[in-house]
Amino acid sequence: MPSYEQLREILDPATTVLLTVECQQGVVGTESALPELAEEARTSGALANVARLVIAAHHGGVQVVHAVAERRPDGRAANRNARLFRAAERLPVQQLSGTRAVRIAPPIEVADEDLVVRRLHGLSPLAGTGVDPLLRNLGCRTLLVTGVSANVAIPNAVFDAVNLGYTAVVPADAIAGVPADYTPAMVRNTLALVATVTSTQDVLGVWKRPRGA
């Protein structure tokens, strides 16, 4: 884990963006298309920790971006080139544009100044979604990655962030995947090689302490 001083330097509110990944009703909500993942996100405390980080970001002047995955009712422009996409087409809950499924799930609060970026294709919140130029226009240097899933979208977001030149930070207790023991193994053996791994409490500690204190 990085020291307080290291985190404080990396997580400067002026140059940090908090990214929530697929924290939407149809993924982590009570009517999820992926109930096992939704249950893990809630019982592990990951979803609650994302909500805590979002509140702290709002109070601390840190920009929040919510990345939402959705599809058109006709499926136009959606990927079909992987088993995951084909399986998603058969799920009882669909992430259809404009429906409850693609709204940000409680207890996460969305403020007026937050950006909600929706994608109709692919696996990554960053690649081909327009998020990268938004981050650059915001002066972002550090991307704090939270949400689901640790199986696919989270590592994808971290790798893309690093490849694009951002410093990636992952609060390990604010992401979730299935099975439960997969997430810590993936963080330890994969994300820790390319990202700064920390905890929700340590991030909150940095943001709650006044700069210069």
Side-chain angles (χ1 to χ4, degrees), residues 24 63 121 172:
Q24 56 204 74
Q63 179 67 53
H121 66 89

mmCIF file of all heavy atoms in Angstrom, residues 24 63 121 172:
data_model
loop_
_atom_site.group_PDB
_atom_site.id
_atom_site.type_symbol
_atom_site.label_atom_id
_atom_site.label_comp_id
_atom_site.label_asym_id
_atom_site.label_seq_id
_atom_site.Cartn_x
_atom_site.Cartn_y
_atom_site.Cartn_z
ATOM 1 N N GLN A 24 -24.775 0.484 -12.199
ATOM 2 C CA GLN A 24 -26.123 0.783 -12.662
ATOM 3 C C GLN A 24 -27.105 -0.258 -12.142
ATOM 4 O O GLN A 24 -26.723 -1.363 -11.758
ATOM 5 C CB GLN A 24 -26.133 0.836 -14.186
ATOM 6 C CG GLN A 24 -25.621 -0.431 -14.861
ATOM 7 C CD GLN A 24 -25.103 -0.200 -16.267
ATOM 8 O OE1 GLN A 24 -24.026 0.358 -16.462
ATOM 9 N NE2 GLN A 24 -25.886 -0.617 -17.265
ATOM 10 N N GLN A 63 -13.812 15.713 -9.588
ATOM 11 C CA GLN A 63 -14.774 15.398 -10.643
ATOM 12 C C GLN A 63 -15.139 13.917 -10.625
ATOM 13 O O GLN A 63 -14.281 13.054 -10.459
ATOM 14 C CB GLN A 63 -14.197 15.752 -12.009
ATOM 15 C CG GLN A 63 -15.105 15.435 -13.179
ATOM 16 C CD GLN A 63 -16.354 16.299 -13.203
ATOM 17 O OE1 GLN A 63 -16.259 17.521 -13.146
ATOM 18 N NE2 GLN A 63 -17.525 15.678 -13.282
ATOM 19 N N HIS A 121 -21.112 -0.104 -27.032
ATOM 20 C CA HIS A 121 -20.260 -1.144 -27.614
ATOM 21 C C HIS A 121 -19.095 -1.457 -26.688
ATOM 22 O O HIS A 121 -18.747 -0.683 -25.803
ATOM 23 C CB HIS A 121 -19.691 -0.658 -28.950
ATOM 24 C CG HIS A 121 -18.741 0.496 -28.781
ATOM 25 N ND1 HIS A 121 -17.400 0.327 -28.574
ATOM 26 C CD2 HIS A 121 -18.963 1.839 -28.741
ATOM 27 C CE1 HIS A 121 -16.814 1.506 -28.430
ATOM 28 N NE2 HIS A 121 -17.744 2.444 -28.533
ATOM 29 N N ALA A 172 -9.098 -1.219 -3.566
ATOM 30 C CA ALA A 172 -9.417 -2.631 -3.765
ATOM 31 C C ALA A 172 -10.742 -3.037 -3.132
ATOM 32 O O ALA A 172 -11.349 -4.023 -3.569
ATOM 33 C CB ALA A 172 -8.286 -3.494 -3.202
#
